[in-house]
Amino acid sequence: MHYDADNHTRLVETLSLYLQNNCNILHTADAAYTHRNTIKYRITRIEELLHVDLQNASARLNLHLALYLNHFILMN
């Protein structure tokens, strides 16, 4: 989130859409109205910044929960 704010990117939004779309690049690109190569780049950048492998189910679950909890906290 800090990276997004500092660099004017949308990586958190991309990650959220990616997880919501069962890690499907094409569906995520459609949902974000963005080219699939842009989504691929963003996912790679997210993995680099967070030092995670989004092919790992535990990593995906942890990130999904973190995003959900952040959304829940911000809404209250």
Side-chain angles (χ1 to χ4, degrees):
M1 290 178 206
H2 294 290
Y3 183 88
D4 275 355
D6 293 344
N7 296 283
H8 309 290
T9 58
R10 299 172 73 174
L11 298 180
V12 174
E13 178 185 342
T14 299
L15 177 60
S16 181
L17 285 172
Y18 182 69
L19 294 171
Q20 290 172 26
N21 284 286
N22 296 315
C23 302
N24 183 300
I25 296 284
L26 293 177
H27 292 160
T28 304
D30 288 344
Y33 303 103
T34 305
H35 195 275
R36 68 179 180 271
N37 289 342
T38 301
I39 299 298
K40 286 181 187 180
Y41 170 79
R42 290 179 185 174
I43 295 302
T44 299
R45 188 71 183 124
I46 289 165
E47 289 178 324
E48 291 170 353
L49 289 168
L50 298 179
H51 306 287
V52 297
D53 177 6
L54 290 175
Q55 298 302 311
N56 180 302
S58 294
R60 288 192 314 268
L61 176 62
N62 287 336
L63 289 169
H64 208 159
L65 288 172
L67 290 169
Y68 177 78
L69 288 172
N70 182 63
H71 179 74
F72 179 75
I73 290 168
L74 291 176
M75 296 302 289
N76 289 323

mmCIF file of all heavy atoms in Angstrom, residues 10-60:
data_model
loop_
_atom_site.group_PDB
_atom_site.id
_atom_site.type_symbol
_atom_site.label_atom_id
_atom_site.label_comp_id
_atom_site.label_asym_id
_atom_site.label_seq_id
_atom_site.Cartn_x
_atom_site.Cartn_y
_atom_site.Cartn_z
ATOM 1 N N ARG A 10 -1.018 0.703 -8.910
ATOM 2 C CA ARG A 10 -2.272 0.074 -8.478
ATOM 3 C C ARG A 10 -2.046 -1.405 -8.197
ATOM 4 O O ARG A 10 -2.846 -2.258 -8.566
ATOM 5 C CB ARG A 10 -3.325 0.271 -9.559
ATOM 6 C CG ARG A 10 -3.606 1.755 -9.822
ATOM 7 C CD ARG A 10 -4.490 1.971 -10.986
ATOM 8 N NE ARG A 10 -5.848 1.571 -10.625
ATOM 9 C CZ ARG A 10 -6.896 1.745 -11.405
ATOM 10 N NH1 ARG A 10 -6.749 2.308 -12.576
ATOM 11 N NH2 ARG A 10 -8.077 1.352 -11.028
ATOM 12 N N LEU A 11 -0.949 -1.712 -7.519
ATOM 13 C CA LEU A 11 -0.595 -3.108 -7.275
ATOM 14 C C LEU A 11 -1.544 -3.788 -6.291
ATOM 15 O O LEU A 11 -1.880 -4.959 -6.470
ATOM 16 C CB LEU A 11 0.854 -3.217 -6.788
ATOM 17 C CG LEU A 11 1.924 -2.732 -7.763
ATOM 18 C CD1 LEU A 11 3.304 -2.898 -7.168
ATOM 19 C CD2 LEU A 11 1.810 -3.435 -9.102
ATOM 20 N N VAL A 12 -1.992 -3.080 -5.289
ATOM 21 C CA VAL A 12 -2.918 -3.677 -4.314
ATOM 22 C C VAL A 12 -4.236 -4.025 -5.000
ATOM 23 O O VAL A 12 -4.772 -5.126 -4.815
ATOM 24 C CB VAL A 12 -3.151 -2.745 -3.104
ATOM 25 C CG1 VAL A 12 -4.228 -3.306 -2.190
ATOM 26 C CG2 VAL A 12 -1.851 -2.542 -2.332
ATOM 27 N N GLU A 13 -4.720 -3.107 -5.807
ATOM 28 C CA GLU A 13 -5.963 -3.370 -6.545
ATOM 29 C C GLU A 13 -5.779 -4.559 -7.492
ATOM 30 O O GLU A 13 -6.655 -5.419 -7.592
ATOM 31 C CB GLU A 13 -6.369 -2.133 -7.332
ATOM 32 C CG GLU A 13 -7.621 -2.333 -8.166
ATOM 33 C CD GLU A 13 -7.942 -1.127 -9.032
ATOM 34 O OE1 GLU A 13 -7.436 -0.028 -8.770
ATOM 35 O OE2 GLU A 13 -8.715 -1.312 -9.984
ATOM 36 N N THR A 14 -4.650 -4.595 -8.169
ATOM 37 C CA THR A 14 -4.372 -5.694 -9.090
ATOM 38 C C THR A 14 -4.310 -7.018 -8.337
ATOM 39 O O THR A 14 -4.891 -8.017 -8.776
ATOM 40 C CB THR A 14 -3.046 -5.452 -9.845
ATOM 41 O OG1 THR A 14 -3.162 -4.242 -10.593
ATOM 42 C CG2 THR A 14 -2.725 -6.601 -10.782
ATOM 43 N N LEU A 15 -3.620 -7.033 -7.198
ATOM 44 C CA LEU A 15 -3.524 -8.258 -6.406
ATOM 45 C C LEU A 15 -4.899 -8.714 -5.943
ATOM 46 O O LEU A 15 -5.230 -9.903 -6.037
ATOM 47 C CB LEU A 15 -2.609 -8.035 -5.203
ATOM 48 C CG LEU A 15 -2.485 -9.222 -4.241
ATOM 49 C CD1 LEU A 15 -1.931 -10.447 -4.949
ATOM 50 C CD2 LEU A 15 -1.615 -8.840 -3.052
ATOM 51 N N SER A 16 -5.701 -7.792 -5.486
ATOM 52 C CA SER A 16 -7.048 -8.137 -5.040
ATOM 53 C C SER A 16 -7.870 -8.735 -6.176
ATOM 54 O O SER A 16 -8.513 -9.779 -6.009
ATOM 55 C CB SER A 16 -7.735 -6.891 -4.478
ATOM 56 O OG SER A 16 -9.024 -7.207 -4.028
ATOM 57 N N LEU A 17 -7.845 -8.098 -7.331
ATOM 58 C CA LEU A 17 -8.582 -8.627 -8.488
ATOM 59 C C LEU A 17 -8.045 -9.988 -8.914
ATOM 60 O O LEU A 17 -8.805 -10.882 -9.269
ATOM 61 C CB LEU A 17 -8.501 -7.648 -9.660
ATOM 62 C CG LEU A 17 -9.357 -6.403 -9.561
ATOM 63 C CD1 LEU A 17 -9.015 -5.438 -10.698
ATOM 64 C CD2 LEU A 17 -10.831 -6.759 -9.585
ATOM 65 N N TYR A 18 -6.740 -10.135 -8.888
ATOM 66 C CA TYR A 18 -6.093 -11.397 -9.265
ATOM 67 C C TYR A 18 -6.561 -12.529 -8.353
ATOM 68 O O TYR A 18 -6.924 -13.613 -8.824
ATOM 69 C CB TYR A 18 -4.580 -11.218 -9.184
ATOM 70 C CG TYR A 18 -3.757 -12.402 -9.596
ATOM 71 C CD1 TYR A 18 -3.702 -12.814 -10.921
ATOM 72 C CD2 TYR A 18 -2.992 -13.086 -8.669
ATOM 73 C CE1 TYR A 18 -2.918 -13.885 -11.305
ATOM 74 C CE2 TYR A 18 -2.207 -14.154 -9.033
ATOM 75 C CZ TYR A 18 -2.166 -14.555 -10.353
ATOM 76 O OH TYR A 18 -1.388 -15.625 -10.725
ATOM 77 N N LEU A 19 -6.589 -12.271 -7.060
ATOM 78 C CA LEU A 19 -7.033 -13.298 -6.108
ATOM 79 C C LEU A 19 -8.531 -13.569 -6.260
ATOM 80 O O LEU A 19 -8.966 -14.716 -6.187
ATOM 81 C CB LEU A 19 -6.694 -12.867 -4.682
ATOM 82 C CG LEU A 19 -5.198 -12.787 -4.368
ATOM 83 C CD1 LEU A 19 -4.977 -12.143 -3.007
ATOM 84 C CD2 LEU A 19 -4.552 -14.147 -4.448
ATOM 85 N N GLN A 20 -9.318 -12.538 -6.476
ATOM 86 C CA GLN A 20 -10.761 -12.702 -6.661
ATOM 87 C C GLN A 20 -11.087 -13.491 -7.926
ATOM 88 O O GLN A 20 -12.123 -14.146 -7.997
ATOM 89 C CB GLN A 20 -11.451 -11.347 -6.721
ATOM 90 C CG GLN A 20 -11.484 -10.602 -5.422
ATOM 91 C CD GLN A 20 -12.016 -9.194 -5.599
ATOM 92 O OE1 GLN A 20 -12.765 -8.909 -6.521
ATOM 93 N NE2 GLN A 20 -11.616 -8.299 -4.709
ATOM 94 N N ASN A 21 -10.198 -13.420 -8.909
ATOM 95 C CA ASN A 21 -10.403 -14.112 -10.177
ATOM 96 C C ASN A 21 -9.617 -15.415 -10.244
ATOM 97 O O ASN A 21 -9.241 -15.876 -11.328
ATOM 98 C CB ASN A 21 -10.026 -13.193 -11.344
ATOM 99 C CG ASN A 21 -11.087 -12.162 -11.590
ATOM 100 O OD1 ASN A 21 -12.139 -12.469 -12.120
ATOM 101 N ND2 ASN A 21 -10.824 -10.927 -11.178
ATOM 102 N N ASN A 22 -9.394 -16.016 -9.074
ATOM 103 C CA ASN A 22 -8.732 -17.320 -8.972
ATOM 104 C C ASN A 22 -7.393 -17.364 -9.707
ATOM 105 O O ASN A 22 -7.053 -18.343 -10.353
ATOM 106 C CB ASN A 22 -9.649 -18.438 -9.460
ATOM 107 C CG ASN A 22 -10.876 -18.566 -8.604
ATOM 108 O OD1 ASN A 22 -10.786 -18.537 -7.378
ATOM 109 N ND2 ASN A 22 -12.028 -18.673 -9.240
ATOM 110 N N CYS A 23 -6.656 -16.272 -9.604
ATOM 111 C CA CYS A 23 -5.308 -16.160 -10.175
ATOM 112 C C CYS A 23 -5.295 -16.380 -11.680
ATOM 113 O O CYS A 23 -4.333 -16.905 -12.240
ATOM 114 C CB CYS A 23 -4.348 -17.110 -9.457
ATOM 115 S SG CYS A 23 -4.275 -16.805 -7.685
ATOM 116 N N ASN A 24 -6.347 -15.945 -12.328
ATOM 117 C CA ASN A 24 -6.455 -16.053 -13.779
ATOM 118 C C ASN A 24 -6.113 -14.687 -14.383
ATOM 119 O O ASN A 24 -6.812 -13.697 -14.155
ATOM 120 C CB ASN A 24 -7.871 -16.481 -14.165
ATOM 121 C CG ASN A 24 -8.034 -16.677 -15.640
ATOM 122 O OD1 ASN A 24 -7.835 -15.767 -16.426
ATOM 123 N ND2 ASN A 24 -8.419 -17.892 -16.018
ATOM 124 N N ILE A 25 -5.017 -14.663 -15.149
ATOM 125 C CA ILE A 25 -4.521 -13.420 -15.734
ATOM 126 C C ILE A 25 -5.562 -12.779 -16.660
ATOM 127 O O ILE A 25 -5.811 -11.574 -16.593
ATOM 128 C CB ILE A 25 -3.207 -13.665 -16.515
ATOM 129 C CG1 ILE A 25 -2.098 -14.128 -15.582
ATOM 130 C CG2 ILE A 25 -2.791 -12.430 -17.310
ATOM 131 C CD1 ILE A 25 -1.486 -13.068 -14.729
ATOM 132 N N LEU A 26 -6.176 -13.585 -17.525
ATOM 133 C CA LEU A 26 -7.129 -13.031 -18.490
ATOM 134 C C LEU A 26 -8.357 -12.444 -17.810
ATOM 135 O O LEU A 26 -8.822 -11.362 -18.179
ATOM 136 C CB LEU A 26 -7.533 -14.088 -19.506
ATOM 137 C CG LEU A 26 -6.429 -14.554 -20.461
ATOM 138 C CD1 LEU A 26 -6.927 -15.664 -21.373
ATOM 139 C CD2 LEU A 26 -5.887 -13.391 -21.262
ATOM 140 N N HIS A 27 -8.893 -13.152 -16.829
ATOM 141 C CA HIS A 27 -10.066 -12.649 -16.114
ATOM 142 C C HIS A 27 -9.719 -11.391 -15.331
ATOM 143 O O HIS A 27 -10.525 -10.455 -15.260
ATOM 144 C CB HIS A 27 -10.643 -13.705 -15.189
ATOM 145 C CG HIS A 27 -11.257 -14.855 -15.921
ATOM 146 N ND1 HIS A 27 -11.470 -16.078 -15.335
ATOM 147 C CD2 HIS A 27 -11.692 -14.986 -17.197
ATOM 148 C CE1 HIS A 27 -12.018 -16.900 -16.215
ATOM 149 N NE2 HIS A 27 -12.162 -16.249 -17.359
ATOM 150 N N THR A 28 -8.515 -11.368 -14.764
ATOM 151 C CA THR A 28 -8.073 -10.187 -14.029
ATOM 152 C C THR A 28 -7.915 -9.001 -14.972
ATOM 153 O O THR A 28 -8.342 -7.884 -14.658
ATOM 154 C CB THR A 28 -6.741 -10.468 -13.302
ATOM 155 O OG1 THR A 28 -6.914 -11.609 -12.443
ATOM 156 C CG2 THR A 28 -6.293 -9.272 -12.483
ATOM 157 N N ALA A 29 -7.336 -9.240 -16.127
ATOM 158 C CA ALA A 29 -7.168 -8.173 -17.120
ATOM 159 C C ALA A 29 -8.521 -7.621 -17.555
ATOM 160 O O ALA A 29 -8.690 -6.402 -17.671
ATOM 161 C CB ALA A 29 -6.384 -8.693 -18.319
ATOM 162 N N ASP A 30 -9.479 -8.503 -17.778
ATOM 163 C CA ASP A 30 -10.826 -8.056 -18.150
ATOM 164 C C ASP A 30 -11.454 -7.218 -17.037
ATOM 165 O O ASP A 30 -12.052 -6.173 -17.301
ATOM 166 C CB ASP A 30 -11.728 -9.247 -18.462
ATOM 167 C CG ASP A 30 -11.387 -9.919 -19.780
ATOM 168 O OD1 ASP A 30 -10.665 -9.304 -20.597
ATOM 169 O OD2 ASP A 30 -11.836 -11.068 -19.987
ATOM 170 N N ALA A 31 -11.322 -7.676 -15.796
ATOM 171 C CA ALA A 31 -11.920 -6.963 -14.659
ATOM 172 C C ALA A 31 -11.270 -5.601 -14.452
ATOM 173 O O ALA A 31 -11.931 -4.650 -14.019
ATOM 174 C CB ALA A 31 -11.800 -7.806 -13.399
ATOM 175 N N ALA A 32 -9.981 -5.498 -14.769
ATOM 176 C CA ALA A 32 -9.243 -4.240 -14.570
ATOM 177 C C ALA A 32 -9.241 -3.367 -15.820
ATOM 178 O O ALA A 32 -8.698 -2.266 -15.795
ATOM 179 C CB ALA A 32 -7.814 -4.548 -14.161
ATOM 180 N N TYR A 33 -9.843 -3.866 -16.896
ATOM 181 C CA TYR A 33 -9.823 -3.156 -18.183
ATOM 182 C C TYR A 33 -8.379 -2.810 -18.567
ATOM 183 O O TYR A 33 -8.068 -1.671 -18.929
ATOM 184 C CB TYR A 33 -10.692 -1.893 -18.145
ATOM 185 C CG TYR A 33 -12.117 -2.165 -17.768
ATOM 186 C CD1 TYR A 33 -12.586 -1.884 -16.486
ATOM 187 C CD2 TYR A 33 -12.990 -2.734 -18.686
ATOM 188 C CE1 TYR A 33 -13.910 -2.151 -16.135
ATOM 189 C CE2 TYR A 33 -14.307 -3.009 -18.343
ATOM 190 C CZ TYR A 33 -14.755 -2.711 -17.069
ATOM 191 O OH TYR A 33 -16.053 -2.984 -16.728
ATOM 192 N N THR A 34 -7.524 -3.814 -18.439
ATOM 193 C CA THR A 34 -6.090 -3.651 -18.657
ATOM 194 C C THR A 34 -5.584 -4.808 -19.513
ATOM 195 O O THR A 34 -6.132 -5.903 -19.470
ATOM 196 C CB THR A 34 -5.352 -3.658 -17.299
ATOM 197 O OG1 THR A 34 -5.923 -2.648 -16.465
ATOM 198 C CG2 THR A 34 -3.875 -3.396 -17.441
ATOM 199 N N HIS A 35 -4.528 -4.591 -20.259
ATOM 200 C CA HIS A 35 -3.942 -5.644 -21.089
ATOM 201 C C HIS A 35 -3.331 -6.722 -20.206
ATOM 202 O O HIS A 35 -2.790 -6.440 -19.136
ATOM 203 C CB HIS A 35 -2.865 -5.038 -22.005
ATOM 204 C CG HIS A 35 -2.470 -5.960 -23.109
ATOM 205 N ND1 HIS A 35 -1.519 -6.937 -22.945
ATOM 206 C CD2 HIS A 35 -2.900 -6.050 -24.381
ATOM 207 C CE1 HIS A 35 -1.372 -7.597 -24.080
ATOM 208 N NE2 HIS A 35 -2.209 -7.063 -24.975
ATOM 209 N N ARG A 36 -3.418 -7.961 -20.661
ATOM 210 C CA ARG A 36 -2.919 -9.089 -19.861
ATOM 211 C C ARG A 36 -1.426 -8.988 -19.570
ATOM 212 O O ARG A 36 -0.970 -9.416 -18.514
ATOM 213 C CB ARG A 36 -3.270 -10.418 -20.516
ATOM 214 C CG ARG A 36 -2.545 -10.689 -21.801
ATOM 215 C CD ARG A 36 -2.943 -12.054 -22.372
ATOM 216 N NE ARG A 36 -2.242 -12.305 -23.603
ATOM 217 C CZ ARG A 36 -2.659 -11.963 -24.808
ATOM 218 N NH1 ARG A 36 -3.833 -11.356 -24.931
ATOM 219 N NH2 ARG A 36 -1.951 -12.216 -25.878
ATOM 220 N N ASN A 37 -0.646 -8.403 -20.480
ATOM 221 C CA ASN A 37 0.787 -8.253 -20.215
ATOM 222 C C ASN A 37 1.046 -7.281 -19.067
ATOM 223 O O ASN A 37 2.001 -7.456 -18.305
ATOM 224 C CB ASN A 37 1.526 -7.800 -21.473
ATOM 225 C CG ASN A 37 1.615 -8.888 -22.508
ATOM 226 O OD1 ASN A 37 1.441 -10.068 -22.219
ATOM 227 N ND2 ASN A 37 1.875 -8.506 -23.752
ATOM 228 N N THR A 38 0.196 -6.289 -18.934
ATOM 229 C CA THR A 38 0.309 -5.353 -17.814
ATOM 230 C C THR A 38 0.037 -6.080 -16.506
ATOM 231 O O THR A 38 0.749 -5.874 -15.511
ATOM 232 C CB THR A 38 -0.666 -4.175 -17.990
ATOM 233 O OG1 THR A 38 -0.364 -3.515 -19.225
ATOM 234 C CG2 THR A 38 -0.585 -3.194 -16.837
ATOM 235 N N ILE A 39 -0.966 -6.929 -16.507
ATOM 236 C CA ILE A 39 -1.288 -7.709 -15.308
ATOM 237 C C ILE A 39 -0.135 -8.651 -14.983
ATOM 238 O O ILE A 39 0.272 -8.761 -13.815
ATOM 239 C CB ILE A 39 -2.607 -8.497 -15.477
ATOM 240 C CG1 ILE A 39 -3.778 -7.531 -15.725
ATOM 241 C CG2 ILE A 39 -2.861 -9.403 -14.273
ATOM 242 C CD1 ILE A 39 -4.051 -6.554 -14.601
ATOM 243 N N LYS A 40 0.420 -9.323 -15.982
ATOM 244 C CA LYS A 40 1.569 -10.206 -15.750
ATOM 245 C C LYS A 40 2.719 -9.440 -15.117
ATOM 246 O O LYS A 40 3.346 -9.909 -14.165
ATOM 247 C CB LYS A 40 2.038 -10.846 -17.058
ATOM 248 C CG LYS A 40 1.149 -11.927 -17.583
ATOM 249 C CD LYS A 40 1.746 -12.486 -18.873
ATOM 250 C CE LYS A 40 0.819 -13.458 -19.536
ATOM 251 N NZ LYS A 40 1.391 -13.993 -20.785
ATOM 252 N N TYR A 41 3.006 -8.258 -15.649
ATOM 253 C CA TYR A 41 4.086 -7.427 -15.110
ATOM 254 C C TYR A 41 3.796 -7.070 -13.655
ATOM 255 O O TYR A 41 4.679 -7.167 -12.782
ATOM 256 C CB TYR A 41 4.276 -6.159 -15.945
ATOM 257 C CG TYR A 41 5.205 -5.183 -15.279
ATOM 258 C CD1 TYR A 41 6.579 -5.362 -15.341
ATOM 259 C CD2 TYR A 41 4.702 -4.105 -14.550
ATOM 260 C CE1 TYR A 41 7.441 -4.484 -14.692
ATOM 261 C CE2 TYR A 41 5.555 -3.230 -13.905
ATOM 262 C CZ TYR A 41 6.916 -3.419 -13.975
ATOM 263 O OH TYR A 41 7.764 -2.563 -13.328
ATOM 264 N N ARG A 42 2.570 -6.633 -13.382
ATOM 265 C CA ARG A 42 2.216 -6.232 -12.015
ATOM 266 C C ARG A 42 2.320 -7.393 -11.042
ATOM 267 O O ARG A 42 2.801 -7.227 -9.921
ATOM 268 C CB ARG A 42 0.807 -5.640 -11.979
ATOM 269 C CG ARG A 42 0.698 -4.289 -12.643
ATOM 270 C CD ARG A 42 -0.730 -3.783 -12.586
ATOM 271 N NE ARG A 42 -0.895 -2.545 -13.324
ATOM 272 C CZ ARG A 42 -2.067 -1.968 -13.521
ATOM 273 N NH1 ARG A 42 -3.184 -2.503 -13.031
ATOM 274 N NH2 ARG A 42 -2.141 -0.852 -14.206
ATOM 275 N N ILE A 43 1.867 -8.579 -11.461
ATOM 276 C CA ILE A 43 1.941 -9.754 -10.593
ATOM 277 C C ILE A 43 3.397 -10.101 -10.294
ATOM 278 O O ILE A 43 3.763 -10.386 -9.147
ATOM 279 C CB ILE A 43 1.188 -10.952 -11.215
ATOM 280 C CG1 ILE A 43 -0.307 -10.652 -11.310
ATOM 281 C CG2 ILE A 43 1.444 -12.239 -10.435
ATOM 282 C CD1 ILE A 43 -0.993 -10.309 -10.006
ATOM 283 N N THR A 44 4.233 -10.036 -11.309
ATOM 284 C CA THR A 44 5.664 -10.294 -11.108
ATOM 285 C C THR A 44 6.246 -9.267 -10.143
ATOM 286 O O THR A 44 7.023 -9.608 -9.242
ATOM 287 C CB THR A 44 6.414 -10.249 -12.455
ATOM 288 O OG1 THR A 44 5.874 -11.264 -13.301
ATOM 289 C CG2 THR A 44 7.907 -10.467 -12.265
ATOM 290 N N ARG A 45 5.861 -8.012 -10.302
ATOM 291 C CA ARG A 45 6.362 -6.941 -9.425
ATOM 292 C C ARG A 45 5.894 -7.151 -7.994
ATOM 293 O O ARG A 45 6.661 -6.965 -7.045
ATOM 294 C CB ARG A 45 5.885 -5.579 -9.953
ATOM 295 C CG ARG A 45 6.499 -4.428 -9.258
ATOM 296 C CD ARG A 45 7.972 -4.301 -9.631
ATOM 297 N NE ARG A 45 8.553 -3.213 -8.875
ATOM 298 C CZ ARG A 45 9.616 -3.342 -8.081
ATOM 299 N NH1 ARG A 45 10.251 -4.483 -8.001
ATOM 300 N NH2 ARG A 45 10.055 -2.315 -7.401
ATOM 301 N N ILE A 46 4.648 -7.581 -7.816
ATOM 302 C CA ILE A 46 4.106 -7.860 -6.482
ATOM 303 C C ILE A 46 4.906 -8.982 -5.826
ATOM 304 O O ILE A 46 5.294 -8.883 -4.655
ATOM 305 C CB ILE A 46 2.609 -8.230 -6.572
ATOM 306 C CG1 ILE A 46 1.790 -6.987 -6.932
ATOM 307 C CG2 ILE A 46 2.111 -8.849 -5.272
ATOM 308 C CD1 ILE A 46 0.376 -7.294 -7.400
ATOM 309 N N GLU A 47 5.167 -10.040 -6.581
ATOM 310 C CA GLU A 47 5.945 -11.156 -6.041
ATOM 311 C C GLU A 47 7.339 -10.697 -5.617
ATOM 312 O O GLU A 47 7.837 -11.129 -4.573
ATOM 313 C CB GLU A 47 6.048 -12.283 -7.070
ATOM 314 C CG GLU A 47 4.753 -13.018 -7.276
ATOM 315 C CD GLU A 47 4.823 -14.102 -8.335
ATOM 316 O OE1 GLU A 47 5.536 -13.909 -9.355
ATOM 317 O OE2 GLU A 47 4.178 -15.148 -8.144
ATOM 318 N N GLU A 48 7.955 -9.838 -6.415
ATOM 319 C CA GLU A 48 9.291 -9.325 -6.084
ATOM 320 C C GLU A 48 9.259 -8.465 -4.828
ATOM 321 O O GLU A 48 10.098 -8.612 -3.938
ATOM 322 C CB GLU A 48 9.844 -8.505 -7.246
ATOM 323 C CG GLU A 48 10.196 -9.313 -8.466
ATOM 324 C CD GLU A 48 10.503 -8.441 -9.680
ATOM 325 O OE1 GLU A 48 10.324 -7.192 -9.618
ATOM 326 O OE2 GLU A 48 10.917 -9.018 -10.706
ATOM 327 N N LEU A 49 8.301 -7.565 -4.748
ATOM 328 C CA LEU A 49 8.223 -6.652 -3.606
ATOM 329 C C LEU A 49 7.900 -7.375 -2.303
ATOM 330 O O LEU A 49 8.429 -7.027 -1.247
ATOM 331 C CB LEU A 49 7.174 -5.572 -3.862
ATOM 332 C CG LEU A 49 7.528 -4.526 -4.902
ATOM 333 C CD1 LEU A 49 6.298 -3.696 -5.256
ATOM 334 C CD2 LEU A 49 8.655 -3.636 -4.407
ATOM 335 N N LEU A 50 7.016 -8.367 -2.378
ATOM 336 C CA LEU A 50 6.579 -9.073 -1.172
ATOM 337 C C LEU A 50 7.397 -10.329 -0.880
ATOM 338 O O LEU A 50 7.195 -10.962 0.161
ATOM 339 C CB LEU A 50 5.097 -9.445 -1.290
ATOM 340 C CG LEU A 50 4.124 -8.283 -1.412
ATOM 341 C CD1 LEU A 50 2.702 -8.805 -1.547
ATOM 342 C CD2 LEU A 50 4.242 -7.350 -0.203
ATOM 343 N N HIS A 51 8.282 -10.691 -1.799
ATOM 344 C CA HIS A 51 9.093 -11.910 -1.650
ATOM 345 C C HIS A 51 8.196 -13.128 -1.441
ATOM 346 O O HIS A 51 8.385 -13.903 -0.501
ATOM 347 C CB HIS A 51 10.096 -11.781 -0.498
ATOM 348 C CG HIS A 51 10.977 -10.575 -0.605
ATOM 349 N ND1 HIS A 51 11.995 -10.497 -1.525
ATOM 350 C CD2 HIS A 51 10.962 -9.402 0.067
ATOM 351 C CE1 HIS A 51 12.596 -9.321 -1.394
ATOM 352 N NE2 HIS A 51 11.981 -8.630 -0.454
ATOM 353 N N VAL A 52 7.187 -13.247 -2.310
ATOM 354 C CA VAL A 52 6.270 -14.386 -2.257
ATOM 355 C C VAL A 52 6.142 -15.005 -3.643
ATOM 356 O O VAL A 52 6.429 -14.360 -4.653
ATOM 357 C CB VAL A 52 4.856 -13.996 -1.760
ATOM 358 C CG1 VAL A 52 4.893 -13.482 -0.340
ATOM 359 C CG2 VAL A 52 4.188 -13.014 -2.681
ATOM 360 N N ASP A 53 5.696 -16.236 -3.653
ATOM 361 C CA ASP A 53 5.370 -16.937 -4.894
ATOM 362 C C ASP A 53 3.858 -17.114 -4.907
ATOM 363 O O ASP A 53 3.308 -17.844 -4.073
ATOM 364 C CB ASP A 53 6.075 -18.292 -4.930
ATOM 365 C CG ASP A 53 5.742 -19.118 -6.153
ATOM 366 O OD1 ASP A 53 5.042 -18.606 -7.062
ATOM 367 O OD2 ASP A 53 6.173 -20.285 -6.208
ATOM 368 N N LEU A 54 3.189 -16.433 -5.805
ATOM 369 C CA LEU A 54 1.727 -16.505 -5.828
ATOM 370 C C LEU A 54 1.210 -17.839 -6.357
ATOM 371 O O LEU A 54 -0.001 -18.047 -6.398
ATOM 372 C CB LEU A 54 1.154 -15.328 -6.617
ATOM 373 C CG LEU A 54 1.323 -13.984 -5.921
ATOM 374 C CD1 LEU A 54 0.838 -12.851 -6.818
ATOM 375 C CD2 LEU A 54 0.577 -13.963 -4.597
ATOM 376 N N GLN A 55 2.101 -18.735 -6.725
ATOM 377 C CA GLN A 55 1.690 -20.098 -7.057
ATOM 378 C C GLN A 55 1.500 -20.921 -5.780
ATOM 379 O O GLN A 55 0.895 -21.978 -5.806
ATOM 380 C CB GLN A 55 2.730 -20.765 -7.963
ATOM 381 C CG GLN A 55 2.913 -20.073 -9.298
ATOM 382 C CD GLN A 55 1.619 -19.980 -10.081
ATOM 383 O OE1 GLN A 55 0.908 -20.971 -10.239
ATOM 384 N NE2 GLN A 55 1.294 -18.793 -10.550
ATOM 385 N N ASN A 56 2.001 -20.406 -4.664
ATOM 386 C CA ASN A 56 1.899 -21.068 -3.370
ATOM 387 C C ASN A 56 0.540 -20.743 -2.748
ATOM 388 O O ASN A 56 0.226 -19.572 -2.503
ATOM 389 C CB ASN A 56 3.043 -20.598 -2.465
ATOM 390 C CG ASN A 56 3.019 -21.241 -1.104
ATOM 391 O OD1 ASN A 56 2.047 -21.128 -0.380
ATOM 392 N ND2 ASN A 56 4.113 -21.890 -0.768
ATOM 393 N N ALA A 57 -0.251 -21.773 -2.482
ATOM 394 C CA ALA A 57 -1.608 -21.587 -1.959
ATOM 395 C C ALA A 57 -1.611 -20.892 -0.600
ATOM 396 O O ALA A 57 -2.473 -20.052 -0.331
ATOM 397 C CB ALA A 57 -2.325 -22.929 -1.866
ATOM 398 N N SER A 58 -0.650 -21.202 0.252
ATOM 399 C CA SER A 58 -0.580 -20.568 1.576
ATOM 400 C C SER A 58 -0.296 -19.079 1.446
ATOM 401 O O SER A 58 -0.886 -18.264 2.167
ATOM 402 C CB SER A 58 0.507 -21.223 2.427
ATOM 403 O OG SER A 58 0.172 -22.547 2.718
ATOM 404 N N ALA A 59 0.595 -18.714 0.547
ATOM 405 C CA ALA A 59 0.905 -17.300 0.323
ATOM 406 C C ALA A 59 -0.329 -16.569 -0.185
ATOM 407 O O ALA A 59 -0.632 -15.453 0.266
ATOM 408 C CB ALA A 59 2.061 -17.157 -0.660
ATOM 409 N N ARG A 60 -1.054 -17.190 -1.122
ATOM 410 C CA ARG A 60 -2.272 -16.564 -1.647
ATOM 411 C C ARG A 60 -3.309 -16.383 -0.548
ATOM 412 O O ARG A 60 -3.948 -15.335 -0.445
ATOM 413 C CB ARG A 60 -2.847 -17.389 -2.792
ATOM 414 C CG ARG A 60 -2.048 -17.321 -4.057
ATOM 415 C CD ARG A 60 -2.787 -17.900 -5.254
ATOM 416 N NE ARG A 60 -3.424 -19.181 -5.014
ATOM 417 C CZ ARG A 60 -2.856 -20.361 -5.243
ATOM 418 N NH1 ARG A 60 -1.624 -20.433 -5.706
ATOM 419 N NH2 ARG A 60 -3.518 -21.479 -5.012
#
